[in-house]
Amino acid sequence: MIYDVAVLGGGVVGCAILNKLTRIGKKAVLIEKNSDVATETSKANSGIVHAGFDAMPGTLKAKLNVRGAELMPKLCRELGVKLVNNGAVVIGNDQKTLEDLLARGIQNGVTGLEILDREKLSKLLPAITDEITCGLLAKTSCIVSPYKLTIALAEEAVLNGADVVFNYDTKACNKVDNYYVLDDGKTKISAYKIVIACGGEHNQIANILGAKQYDIKYRRGEYFLLEKNSCDINGLTVFPMPSKDSKGVLVSYTVSNNIIVGPTSILCDNNLTVTTNEGLDDIASKVGHMLSNVNLKKNIRIFSGVRTLVGHDFVIEKDENNSDFVDVTGICSPGLSASPAIAEEVVKLLGFDLTEKTNLVRRKECPKIAELSSDELSKLIKKDPNFGKIVCRCEMVSVAEIIDAVNSPLKPISLDGIKRRTRAGMGRCQGGFCFMKVMEIISKVRGISIDEVTKENMNSRIIVGNIK
């Protein structure tokens, strides 16, 4: 088979592109070097769908943030992904900066913006510190699970005829007639056009394909993840005044009601995800100047993600060395917000019409027992007793939900893959009580040895041998 398009990279942008290509009837394949989608930047960001007031007018960031935020509600409904319109507020003591942000947002086409004085802000956020004198409210800001969105985009694409190939480490690319043959030394994949959406590894892939390489910089963002509802911020996402490098250390709910605090913005020379005492101390100091009620001792996990930058804007363009390739790189914030709009831009660059098919197959989410009433759960258990067998006590995840995840379109076999789909292991104990049971279910359902079940990717085996 020769695909219309091969998309390299399984983050939210790559999966959004794959999804859009499939919706318009193109035969596309997603190629990912890891064992699942959303294993790098798209699993480790704030999950904010930004209103669009921060990006400089006239940039791709501004245009695609606003368009992406416009597309996101309908897209999430179609995908069965939870999107919460919670609103955001930028707080600080510089009225002029807020007025500039307001003017920038209006120029970008953002609605629902309002500057608040100290009195109004205190009613909205009683825990602001004495240093805070004003704020900018953005009523259209939303939150979403970045990894659930990424997974859903890929799953729907697969249900409608796309292919996804994991653990594919591209070694070569050769042109044959009017198409290209990718090769990892084991499997050849052919496509007429190629989209390079590999984030921080763009240049490595570009070198193999003979495509353009860019001056890529890396910024690491470290985070605290706190217990559910561990502080009251009135449902909002709370930002400080932005700097030239970052939107700053935010405090926000996740769609699962945990509190996320961060990120740092540390310039680094690689895309390795690490956390440091210096970075976490910096977060604690900065959030302490904003809010008085954020107790970082409620922390259940620390993590980091790395975003890539190419200058001051997104790069979405036909490759200057080969017009059959499209380069998508430098997708830092607001990349998640812009992802549906980035997909539209790429489809247009590929020369395709944006009109979608009308007979698409929609994905269906497995019922989450933690969200059901007693009566609803009783009826479900009568149909399938596995809904009554609890595996993860922290997040109330049943055997049935894990089986459904293992059998879902991308067929995950890692603990983290199941965690991202079901939340098993995302609670207070972080999987300490349930991980072996989850491994046993994966092993049984997939018909593989339990020592083949990994934590994440191929090199992360948990069981390496028997001791007797």
Side-chain angles (χ1 to χ4, degrees), residues 316-338:
I316 305 167
E317 60 189 15
K318 281 195 174 185
D319 187 81
E320 66 179 30
N321 298 337
N322 191 325
S323 61
D324 291 327
F325 299 166
V326 174
D327 298 324
V328 184
T329 189
I331 310 298
C332 51
S333 180
L336 173 70
S337 315

Side-chain angles (χ1 to χ4, degrees), residues 83-104:
L83 179 75
V84 180
N85 177 205
N86 64 322
V89 62
V90 179
I91 63 174
N93 53 21
D94 184 347
Q95 179 89 9
K96 177 63 168 59
T97 296
L98 293 184
E99 290 171 354
D100 290 345
L101 287 173
L102 174 63
R104 194 184 300 175

Side-chain angles (χ1 to χ4, degrees), residues 3 20 48 123 129 161 179 186 248 274 330 333 340 366 387 393:
Y3 293 95
K20 186 63 179 179
I48 313 298
K123 291 178 181 177
T129 65
Y179 63 92
K186 297 174 289 185
V274 297
S333 180
C366 180
F387 279 106
R393 289 177 284 172

Side-chain angles (χ1 to χ4, degrees), residues 291-332:
L291 298 166
S292 62
N293 65 342
V294 180
N295 183 1
L296 296 178
K297 292 180 180 179
K298 296 284 188 179
N299 173 58
I300 60 173
R301 192 172 186 88
I302 56 174
F303 65 95
S304 72
V306 177
R307 52 199 183 272
T308 60
L309 301 92
V310 179
H312 298 290
D313 204 359
F314 296 157
V315 172
I316 305 167
E317 60 189 15
K318 281 195 174 185
D319 187 81
E320 66 179 30
N321 298 337
N322 191 325
S323 61
D324 291 327
F325 299 166
V326 174
D327 298 324
V328 184
T329 189
I331 310 298
C332 51

